[in-house]
Amino acid sequence: MVRRIQKVAVIGSGVMGSGIAAHLANCGFETILFDIVPNQLTAAEEKAGLTLESKAVRNRFVDSAMKKLLKQKPAPLTTKRSLAKISTGNLEDDLKKLGEVDWIIEVVTENLAIKQSLFEKVESVRKPGTIVTSNTSGISIDAMAEGRSEDFQKHFLGTHFFNPPRYLKLLEVIPSKYTDPEVLEYIVKFGEDEIGKGVVVAKDTPNFIGNRIGTYGLMVTLQVMRDKGFSVGEIDSVTGPLIGRPKSATLRTLDVVGLDTFVHVARNVYDNTTGEEQKVFEVPDYLLKMVENGWLGAKSGQGFFLKKGKEILELDVDSFEYVERKQLNTPSIAFAKQQKGLSNRVKSLVYAEDRTGELLWNIIAPTLLYSAELTGEISDHIVGIDQAMKWGFGWTQGPFELWDAIGVTKSVARLTAEGKEIPAIVNALLDKGYDSFYTKIDDELHYFDGTDYVKVPRNEKAIDLATYKKKNGVLKQNAGASVIDFGDGVLLLEFTSKSNSLGMDTMQMLNYAIDLLDQTDDFVGLVIGNQSKNFSVGANLAMILMEAEDDNFFELQSIVHGFQQGTLRMKYSRKPIVAAPYNMTLGGGAEVCLAASHIQASSETYMGLVEVGVGVIPGGGGNKELYMKQLQGLPKGINFDLQNIVNKTFETIAMAKVSMSAEEARDNNFLNFVDGVSVNPDHLLYDAKQAVLGLVQAGYQPPTREKIPVVGEPGYAALLLGAEGLANSGYASEYDVEIAKKLAFVLAGGLVPYGTLVDEQYLLDLEREAFIDLVKSQRTQQRMQHMLVKGKPLRN
């Protein structure tokens, strides 16, 4: 029986170690961060009269790392509150604290002897049964376990987090030959369920899966760039989003990673391979020269690219001068952009008979062959390789998914004609008469395992909504949303419009779902969620602008009123409604969440009422609900300053504050203490459904409709001073102040006495009137137009 992990120690407080500690703290785990004791004083420590025995000196490395956690971008902490879960120590004074934890993660320098020495110390204080893992990116797990006790070896394995740990999904888990299978199974499940990772089990081979394939692909690209005469800019212009890779493409990615780091990773594979494979990992002379020059990429200010003023220059690797950035512009690129779907786009580019096709075929084909050759050596199946590349390197399609996209039969014919050796798994696939590594059987995804198709393993909590809909059907749908029978008596409302913007069609489907809840006993509750890029970017701005430009303000009144009544129906539905937001949850998307019985948010939820950016205030009840959410969080029977509550709400909306995590959304009062957070985004819909069933089992009752205390006329005057303050401090334009005054009037409840109790509908009427007045303004319409065209706010 594996002991449940409740407390963790991380040894090594560098960027990676502190990032892992931050991620564990974000997930709710008490974590101790360790590092070595400094062997000399800094000038500042000497000046302060400190000695090498002073605690501040002995804990300098870890204490410094803790301070950096609050300053790093992107932020490793989901909320500053997470920092309280991290304590610090050093490996001399506090070594015994390792005996208090259930999991010890080593994140020290990539040197086998140093790691082995550390594990000897760890074993001297470690409790039997404590799991110990190394965050190595490539050193042998077997070698690290040598010489340790049987209990240590059984509980030892590799856990390779990808940087930054909060944001990158991949966690490679690497068992040694000694690892207890029960420990491996536990860590895999823990990684998925408790710390939200996409876990891939890798074999103990050089650089494991992600870095082995990824580094190979990068090295091939560097070689093709030099051999075929492509420039740095040309490479990146076609190896990014155009083919389903990150915006940083190839060489910009190396700049971000650090060229010295990349050289270290490449050399690790070079030192542990032979023959033709080894030659690929030989670092090019120009890359070694760049590292020698200190041109390490982003951290040194220059690498393959150099920013000069507003211009970004590229390095000419022959002359070693920075020149104007180039792009590939070929007929195939223009043609590919007209193709529907990534697979069709990539297929057209790979086989194009121009410079783009030459480049992509020569970097993609070798990577596909290499991935196939290593299947079985680095991973038990192709799924692990595909997942590693998608979760760790941001590829939209893994190597075998990409192979399916370009056509296995067609590509193998060309490879054979070029004299390439075809890997065994590919020949086995074709010998079976198959032409794809993946296929659907009974609506379930299967992969080719070298013999036949096998069902792709999936955590039961990872619901694939597209497959679910295909298998179970849709109750009703229109252009804006679908209503689905989600099983166990639960409905699901899925937004389906472009960017999941909310319009009349969305509200129609929301009302249909609530009708099913209220008028039948077939369903016990509703989840509002989806699985596209973002939960919702807000109301359909184009529709609002079009109506405004046509002076259809009566129609707009009706639309806003319909949105308000929809969210009001949600709030008082007799059965629970759970919203499942993730990523961008803005404007109307946030208002839908605020009206729900419960919010089950993904950890990475960026929520805010941002309407002032397009010249209006929230129009779907968001002003009222954010205000009420704060009121409801206060203890009953305790006197409090109502003005402070309304000031906080005003500031949040007037400054269009957007949370950078679900926990920050809680700090901003969009979530309360009973709302839930899912650390694994793949489990969000499952968790939301369980939240519905939990509320039902607990005897859910809708809230009682009560009148709301407002600050009235004196509070309105105070808010106006706040609005002027924003303008005077440079945070608001003249028109921002006009919008803020409208917002202040609504939140204050109009010109009534302080403390007046008003009905929700009264506040909704004020909100709707202010919204329409602002939409009539030419300056608001200019803001809307600018947002639609430019994708960013206009400060007019």
Side-chain angles (χ1 to χ4, degrees):
M1 180 73 179
V2 180
R3 186 169 68 244
R4 181 168 173 256
I5 293 173
Q6 299 182 76
K7 190 173 182 179
V8 187
V10 178
I11 303 175
S13 66
V15 171
M16 196 67 200
S18 61
I20 292 171
H23 181 69
L24 293 168
N26 292 337
C27 296
F29 291 95
E30 189 179 345
T31 305
I32 312 173
L33 183 61
F34 287 86
D35 213 318
I36 59 173
V37 174
N39 56 18
Q40 62 184 34
L41 296 173
T42 65
E45 288 167 343
E46 286 182 354
K47 188 175 181 181
L50 299 175
T51 71
L52 289 174
E53 299 307 310
S54 302
K55 189 69 173 177
V57 174
R58 298 178 73 79
N59 274 13
R60 183 210 304 156
F61 293 137
V62 283
D63 290 345
S64 174
M66 292 283 278
K67 291 175 184 175
K68 289 177 182 176
L69 286 177
L70 294 171
K71 299 176 182 177
Q72 286 175 28
K73 299 292 181 184
L77 298 166
T78 56
T79 170
K80 292 179 181 178
R81 290 182 282 105
S82 294
L83 203 64
K85 290 193 173 291
I86 307 175
S87 57
T88 60
N90 67 68
L91 288 171
E92 293 182 16
D93 305 328
D94 307 298
L95 190 66
K96 288 184 179 179
K97 289 182 180 180
L98 292 175
E100 304 170 5
V101 305
D102 311 298
W103 181 17
I104 300 167
I105 309 173
E106 168 271 307
V107 199
V108 302
T109 187
E110 289 284 76
N111 179 289
L112 178 60
I114 291 173
K115 291 177 187 288
Q116 288 175 325
S117 174
L118 173 62
F119 290 136
E120 186 176 356
K121 283 185 179 181
V122 168
E123 187 157 25
S124 70
V125 293
R126 163 191 172 273
K127 288 184 301 185
T130 300
I131 295 171
V132 183
T133 69
S134 172
N135 186 61
T136 179
S137 60
I139 293 179
S140 170
I141 307 301
D142 284 353
M144 283 189 271
E146 292 296 337
R148 304 274 58 84
S149 69
E150 182 182 354
D151 185 78
F152 187 105
Q153 290 177 335
K154 284 172 62 177
H155 292 85
F156 180 73
L157 61 166
T159 48
H160 181 210
F161 290 80
F162 274 60
N163 194 31
R166 172 183 164 186
Y167 299 97
L168 280 188
K169 184 175 180 177
L170 180 61
L171 173 63
E172 291 179 324
V173 172
I174 312 100
S176 78
K177 60 186 178 183
Y178 310 107
T179 305
D180 186 330
E182 191 178 350
V183 173
L184 173 62
E185 183 182 354
Y186 176 80
I187 281 290
V188 168
K189 187 166 178 56
F190 178 87
E192 291 175 346
D193 293 352
E194 303 291 333
I195 59 174
K197 291 298 175 185
V199 179
V200 172
V201 177
K203 296 193 176 185
D204 190 13
T205 56
N207 284 23
F208 313 128
I209 301 174
N211 279 346
R212 182 75 169 273
I213 302 294
T215 304
Y216 181 90
L218 290 164
M219 295 299 288
V220 166
T221 304
L222 292 175
Q223 185 177 333
V224 170
M225 179 178 75
R226 194 66 178 273
D227 293 348
K228 302 287 185 180
F230 290 96
S231 81
V232 165
E234 287 176 331
I235 293 287
D236 273 15
S237 69
V238 296
T239 59
L242 187 68
I243 61 167
R245 305 285 172 84
K247 287 182 180 179
S248 55
T250 301
L251 302 171
R252 175 60 184 153
T253 294
L254 291 183
D255 275 359
V256 171
V257 168
L259 302 188
D260 53 340
T261 301
F262 176 67
V263 167
H264 171 79
V265 172
R267 279 176 167 163
N268 186 57
V269 187
Y270 181 86
D271 292 341
N272 289 280
T273 52
T274 58
E276 291 301 314
E277 180 184 8
Q278 185 183 56
K279 288 180 183 177
V280 176
F281 291 96
E282 187 173 355
V283 180
D285 290 342
Y286 66 84
L287 188 54
L288 292 175
K289 185 177 178 181
M290 291 171 71
V291 172
E292 186 182 324
N293 288 353
W295 299 356
L296 306 180
K299 59 186 172 186
S300 67
Q302 68 185 102
F304 283 108
F305 294 97
L306 171 67
K307 189 171 183 181
K308 199 169 185 178
K310 293 184 178 181
E311 188 180 11
I312 297 176
L313 304 176
E314 64 172 71
L315 180 69
D316 182 320
V317 296
D318 292 316
S319 69
F320 260 65
E321 294 180 355
Y322 286 95
V323 297
E324 185 178 347
R325 187 167 50 164
K326 304 178 186 70
Q327 288 191 333
L328 267 182
N329 289 302
T330 61
S332 65
I333 293 176
F335 177 75
K337 288 178 178 178
Q338 297 172 13
Q339 301 303 301
K340 188 174 182 181
L342 174 63
S343 293
N344 290 327
R345 188 165 71 238
V346 173
K347 186 174 183 178
S348 72
L349 288 167
V350 165
Y351 295 120
E353 295 181 359
D354 60 17
R355 289 272 286 166
T356 301
E358 179 186 27
L359 170 61
L360 291 178
W361 175 259
N362 281 287
I363 63 176
I364 288 176
T367 305
L368 299 184
L369 288 171
Y370 190 64
S371 301
E373 287 166 3
L374 291 180
T375 302
E377 179 183 334
I378 63 174
S379 173
D380 282 334
H381 46 66
I382 66 171
V383 178
I385 294 174
D386 279 348
Q387 289 175 334
M389 299 316 299
K390 291 192 292 183
W391 295 342
F393 281 75
W395 293 13
T396 304
Q397 296 173 319
F400 296 94
E401 293 170 325
L402 177 56
W403 212 328
D404 283 353
I406 68 171
V408 179
T409 302
K410 183 176 180 178
S411 62
V412 168
R414 179 170 173 179
L415 289 165
T416 303
E418 292 174 353
K420 301 294 193 299
E421 185 176 344
I422 307 303
I425 190 172
V426 183
N427 283 325
L429 179 82
L430 296 175
D431 288 345
K432 292 285 289 188
Y434 301 151
D435 187 43
S436 65
F437 287 100
Y438 292 93
T439 190
K440 286 281 187 76
I441 301 175
D442 296 329
D443 291 325
E444 295 284 355
L445 188 63
H446 289 62
Y447 73 94
F448 187 70
D449 71 347
T451 303
D452 214 328
Y453 287 121
V454 177
K455 188 176 177 181
V456 172
R458 179 185 289 275
N459 188 313
E460 64 171 7
K461 296 180 181 179
I463 294 170
D464 179 65
L465 196 52
T467 300
Y468 191 95
K469 285 195 297 182
K470 190 172 181 181
K471 195 172 183 178
N472 298 289
V474 175
L475 295 176
K476 192 172 184 178
Q477 64 184 354
N478 59 25
S482 300
V483 177
I484 303 156
D485 184 340
F486 205 27
D488 300 312
V490 179
L491 290 169
L492 185 136
L493 175 67
E494 177 195 23
F495 303 149
T496 56
S497 62
K498 185 179 179 181
S499 301
N500 288 347
S501 62
L502 309 179
M504 292 180 288
D505 45 9
T506 316
M507 290 298 110
Q508 181 185 359
M509 287 296 101
L510 172 63
N511 282 306
Y512 170 76
I514 297 174
D515 286 343
L516 287 178
L517 293 183
D518 290 349
Q519 296 170 15
T520 74
D521 293 325
D522 297 335
F523 301 102
V524 298
L526 170 68
V527 169
I528 301 178
N530 52 73
Q531 289 182 327
S532 53
K533 185 178 179 181
N534 296 300
F535 178 76
S536 174
V537 297
N540 187 333
L541 193 60
M543 178 269 295
I544 293 172
L545 179 60
M546 182 178 67
E547 297 290 353
E549 289 177 337
D550 290 343
D551 291 334
N552 290 335
F553 296 110
F554 179 80
E555 180 69 17
L556 271 177
Q557 282 268 11
S558 176
I559 292 169
V560 176
H561 182 264
F563 197 149
Q564 291 179 336
Q565 295 311 301
T567 56
L568 207 58
R569 283 195 74 192
M570 278 181 62
K571 182 175 181 179
Y572 293 109
S573 170
R574 64 188 182 92
K575 296 174 183 175
I577 298 176
V578 173
Y582 62 93
N583 294 354
M584 292 296 182
T585 303
L586 305 176
E591 290 180 291
V592 166
C593 294
L594 287 167
S597 317
H598 178 87
I599 298 173
Q600 183 68 37
S602 171
S603 181
E604 298 301 326
T605 297
Y606 316 123
M607 184 180 287
L609 295 170
V610 296
E611 285 84 350
V612 295
V614 290
V616 292
I617 66 170
N623 308 288
K624 163 183 67 74
E625 287 302 328
L626 186 60
Y627 175 54
M628 290 183 72
K629 197 117 180 175
Q630 294 186 72
L631 290 176
Q632 290 159 358
L634 298 170
K636 301 297 181 186
I638 303 294
N639 289 327
F640 54 86
D641 187 345
L642 200 60
Q643 187 69 50
N644 285 340
I645 304 297
V646 80
N647 287 352
K648 170 75 172 173
T649 309
F650 174 78
E651 181 183 302
T652 300
I653 301 173
M655 297 185 70
K657 289 186 177 180
V658 176
S659 71
M660 291 295 102
S661 69
E663 287 300 336
E664 198 171 290
R666 201 189 304 276
D667 294 340
N668 292 344
N669 296 297
F670 285 94
L671 276 65
N672 59 29
F673 70 97
V674 297
D675 289 325
V677 174
S678 297
V679 294
N680 192 325
D682 292 343
H683 299 177
L684 179 60
L685 291 181
Y686 174 90
D687 292 342
K689 181 178 177 180
Q690 297 310 306
V692 168
L693 296 174
L695 288 169
V696 172
Q697 189 173 11
Y700 176 78
Q701 293 293 324
T704 302
R705 187 158 179 163
E706 298 176 334
K707 292 198 171 183
I708 308 161
V710 294
V711 293
E713 188 171 7
Y716 173 53
L719 291 174
L720 290 183
L721 287 175
E724 295 293 346
L726 288 174
N728 294 335
S729 58
Y731 287 109
S733 68
E734 178 191 347
Y735 192 54
D736 288 330
V737 174
E738 292 302 310
I739 300 166
K741 287 178 179 178
K742 294 282 188 183
L743 174 64
F745 190 80
V746 172
L747 288 173
L751 303 180
V752 297
Y754 180 95
T756 298
L757 296 174
V758 301
D759 185 71
E760 285 182 73
Q761 189 58 55
Y762 168 78
L763 290 178
L764 289 175
D765 292 342
L766 290 180
E767 173 185 277
R768 189 171 66 256
E769 182 180 349
F771 183 93
I772 297 299
D773 282 349
L774 287 167
V775 170
K776 290 178 179 178
S777 166
Q778 188 65 35
R779 284 188 286 186
T780 286
Q781 292 175 29
Q782 288 170 353
R783 287 192 174 198
M784 290 182 171
Q785 182 72 31
H786 191 272
M787 177 62 75
L788 288 168
V789 174
K790 302 287 188 182
K792 55 186 179 182
L794 172 68
R795 297 293 298 276
N796 56 350

